[in-house]
Amino acid sequence: WKRIVVIAAGPVVNIVLAFLILWILLWANGVGEPTGRVERVTAEPAMGALREGDQLVSVDGVTGSFAALREQISSHRCAEQVDGCRAATPAVVVVRNDGQERTLRLAPVYDEAQDDMFLGFQTGSRTRPIGPVEAADESVYQLWFFTSKTVETIAGVFEADKRDDISGVVGSYEVTRQTIELSAERALYLLAIISLSLGVINLFPFLPLDGGHIFWAVAEKLRGRAIPFSVMERAGFVGFVLVIALFMIGLTNDVGRLTGEGFGVR
């Protein structure tokens, strides 16, 4: 157990550092909340129906926060859930603009990438101040969100769309450089995400990562005696190949972004 504690200390520090940075940023700056006011119409079925400045009042009779309205929109389903399909039943959307209310019937569209139903508009947001306890809760939520996305991306390395999301050292450097030029706050937020990703990836259970050493330490404890060096050597070779493969995928994606669409920092 002493070996496991020592080995795990590095990744744990990365994760704790990410939590502290996020906690301080959220406590100092608050959290953004959607207002429910249409800021930009982006696609069908909202195109031509909703207008900038429209305030969502209700969806299918459901009122309240934008989160509640968003959940009601998501409850509509297609006859067959495929990318780009329209919901079998339209959502009855009531909006208010300049004191006048309009009732619209819009069939949400399914986006497979987000696994959700959308009407095709972006809402405005406002900043709400929060205390240290709520900031800690929000930090844990964001840590879990990015952790699950990291694991999902690495686990889906054999899927083309997931593989395209992987970035390497070059991409991390370039995104960090561009983010620092925008603002110190965004740079700190990015630092937290990078620190978290390093900690999570380092806990993957294959050598030469820390997670691999922890895995074999546990195996040794369960076996009751040392693992043969030849077994460790073969496991280390397999892990090394996997790490190099991830590195090459990330490097290839980074070069493509450098010479193509860029990294989308704004």
Side-chain angles (χ1 to χ4, degrees):
W1 68 267
K2 293 179 181 178
R3 286 166 55 196
I4 292 175
V5 169
V6 171
I7 294 168
V12 168
V13 167
N14 278 121
I15 296 171
V16 170
L17 176 62
F19 169 80
L20 289 175
I21 293 174
L22 289 176
W23 179 59
I24 292 171
L25 287 175
L26 290 168
W27 188 10
N29 301 316
V31 294
E33 287 186 336
T35 61
R37 184 177 295 278
V38 177
E39 189 174 77
R40 190 159 67 96
V41 179
T42 57
E44 295 290 347
M47 196 75 71
L50 291 176
R51 300 194 295 262
E52 292 183 12
D54 282 345
Q55 177 69 46
L56 269 68
V57 177
S58 67
V59 176
D60 298 330
V62 175
T63 59
S65 67
F66 180 73
L69 302 182
R70 186 75 195 82
E71 185 176 351
Q72 182 60 32
I73 293 171
S74 299
S75 68
H76 288 263
R77 293 294 179 187
C78 303
E80 183 181 355
Q81 286 291 96
V82 295
D83 192 38
C85 71
R86 285 180 178 256
T89 57
V92 180
V93 182
V94 177
V95 296
R96 182 185 297 118
N97 200 334
D98 292 332
Q100 296 183 339
E101 289 191 355
R102 307 192 324 274
T103 300
L104 307 169
R105 298 176 66 86
L106 306 173
V109 175
Y110 178 65
D111 185 345
E112 188 176 26
Q114 301 293 325
D115 190 25
D116 208 350
M117 306 294 290
F118 294 94
L119 290 180
F121 69 92
Q122 292 179 354
T123 182
S125 64
R126 60 171 176 265
T127 301
R128 177 175 63 86
I130 58 176
V133 176
E134 189 176 353
D137 288 341
E138 181 65 22
S139 297
V140 171
Y141 170 78
Q142 293 198 20
L143 288 177
W144 173 250
F145 173 79
F146 286 115
T147 298
S148 61
K149 288 298 181 183
T150 299
V151 174
E152 182 182 322
T153 300
I154 301 299
V157 69
F158 296 108
E159 301 175 27
D161 56 335
K162 293 286 194 303
R163 191 162 56 245
D164 290 341
D165 293 336
I166 297 175
S167 190
V169 177
V170 175
S172 298
Y173 165 78
E174 184 61 22
V175 170
T176 303
R177 184 189 66 78
Q178 294 182 26
T179 305
I180 290 174
E181 291 178 354
L182 289 176
S183 73
E185 181 184 325
R186 291 189 182 184
L188 283 173
Y189 191 84
L190 179 62
L191 176 63
I193 296 174
I194 292 175
S195 181
L196 173 66
S197 298
L198 287 174
V200 171
I201 292 174
N202 220 2
L203 286 174
F204 274 55
F206 51 81
L207 295 171
L209 302 178
D210 289 338
H213 289 285
I214 293 173
F215 173 84
W216 287 107
V218 172
E220 183 177 307
K221 176 66 177 178
L222 295 176
R223 189 169 185 262
R225 59 184 186 275
I227 303 294
F229 179 76
S230 59
V231 175
M232 298 284 287
E233 192 174 38
R234 286 194 291 270
F237 176 77
V238 172
F240 184 75
V241 170
L242 291 173
V243 171
I244 291 298
L246 286 175
F247 174 82
M248 293 305 299
I249 292 172
L251 179 61
T252 302
N253 289 343
D254 291 343
V255 171
R257 295 184 186 109
L258 282 171
T259 57
E261 74 276 9
F263 291 90
V265 178
R266 61 184 187 277

